[in-house]
Amino acid sequence: MNKIKVLEVIRQGQIGGGESHLLDLITFLDKEQFEPVCLSFTSGEMISRLQAMGIRCHVIDTLKAFDMKVQRQIIQLLRDEQIQLVHAHGSRAASNMIYPVRHLHIPMIYTVHGWSFHDDQSLPIRLLRQWSEKLICSLANKVICVSQSNADTGQKRFGLKDAVVIENGINLVRFNPNGQFNDLRKDFGFSEDDFVAGFIARCTKQKAPLDFLHAVRLAHETNPQIKGLFVGEGDMDAEVDAYIAENQMGDYIFRSKFRTDVPDLLHCINVYCLPSLWEGLSIALLEAMAMGKAIVATPTDGTKEVITHEHNGLVIPYEQPQALADAILRFREDEALYNACGQQAHEVVAQRFNAQRVSDTVADIYKSEAYNR
């Protein structure tokens, strides 16, 4: 039986949640049945890691959705690589594949890593993005949602039908709380007695990084042993750096751009914070849970499906830094709750979110779509 040649398409080459999902998907995909090729619309660490795995990667530079200027290049790539199936991860990637796949009659699978529309957008922007998501979903051969809440939102907002829910998976060998890790606390200036709140995510409006910083500042004022680790980069870098400088937080928060040693980073923190305004199902959240970290997060679509308040984490309202600060302090002061939530978080991921299971389930969809052309 010939291998199915699949083009995995994603908007950027830097590693975020969707990119981590793609790395694990390709890692666990049966290479006897499939030949994955990657297309990204920016370069970055993910491309380097895939190439080190022997995966052919292509970069076509664009930051735009529905970019007509790159359509010819994409079509030529599909022809040159003799692609049989396209899997687009996220709306920006999918929007740039709609015309090429239809032009060449290649089936496309679209994985929704959180909808591009959300309630804090202006009405015209929200309706435009809602329309674009409806268009992409209607033209895809199969839609995968990473949380049931995402599928329900799509059905409610624009009548999404027949979506398959496949929750994100985690590499439980790499993210294992009993593994061997580098001790980074001294490198970051933290003592053994410090209680470290961590933010490991893209530095974008979606992730609400200033809410995290504000919360750490408030918690540190109450208890000087509360400190922060901020790892990530994005279009809010300047605002984050300015906030740290203006509030003189340099002595108790360590700021770093993107790093690849995420298990080591998680090992060195006490609490993982995700004050996002919207999410599908955050890979970073699941990684922190797999490592047995206490979690403080907002009730985004995927998060509210995996975090039960006061059972395996603390759920706080959106855009309320004081509530986030109070949750960090509560974990610091209540050791029993802190330990119980970390243990329960790990057990939820170990039972439900295995990357091999995700890859096997997606592989079944690949075979169905490729052979039913």
Side-chain angles (χ1 to χ4, degrees), residues 125-293:
I125 293 296
R126 186 165 71 249
L127 291 177
L128 177 62
R129 291 196 177 188
Q130 192 169 295
W131 173 85
S132 69
E133 292 282 13
K134 180 179 180 179
L135 175 66
I136 293 168
C137 290
S138 68
L139 295 177
N141 296 75
K142 181 67 68 175
V143 177
I144 299 173
C145 292
V146 297
S147 71
Q148 184 61 52
S149 295
N150 266 189
D152 293 343
T153 297
Q155 195 282 326
K156 179 180 178 181
R157 294 292 183 90
F158 57 83
L160 176 66
K161 296 180 181 179
D162 302 322
V164 177
V165 176
I166 305 176
E167 295 175 319
N168 284 328
I170 296 300
N171 185 332
L172 298 177
V173 175
R174 186 168 183 241
F175 293 93
N176 177 358
N178 298 316
Q180 298 294 316
F181 304 100
N182 294 319
D183 185 2
L184 300 177
R185 287 179 77 100
K186 289 183 180 179
D187 295 344
F188 297 152
F190 303 136
S191 73
E192 290 299 316
D193 295 328
D194 287 334
F195 193 80
V196 182
F199 178 97
I200 306 169
R202 294 194 314 276
C203 189
T204 62
K205 179 182 178 182
Q206 175 192 354
K207 306 296 183 179
L210 296 185
D211 286 353
F212 170 75
L213 293 175
H214 190 176
V216 171
R217 180 167 64 84
L218 293 171
H220 181 78
E221 289 172 357
T222 300
N223 183 339
Q225 287 186 325
I226 304 295
K227 298 187 178 179
L229 174 66
F230 189 113
V231 178
E233 56 190 292
D235 54 22
M236 288 187 67
D237 282 343
E239 293 171 71
V240 164
D241 291 339
Y243 189 97
I244 293 172
E246 289 169 6
N247 291 280
Q248 300 179 325
M249 299 176 66
D251 289 341
Y252 59 91
I253 192 158
F254 184 88
R255 165 84 157 106
S256 172
K257 292 189 175 181
F258 171 79
R259 296 174 59 122
T260 60
D261 54 345
V262 178
D264 294 330
L265 296 172
L266 289 169
H267 177 68
C268 86
I269 68 173
N270 299 96
V271 178
Y272 179 78
C273 302
L274 189 68
S276 297
L277 303 179
W278 70 93
E279 291 283 355
L281 179 56
S282 168
I283 292 286
L285 174 69
L286 296 180
E287 291 171 348
M289 293 174 68
M291 289 287 290
K293 298 292 121 176

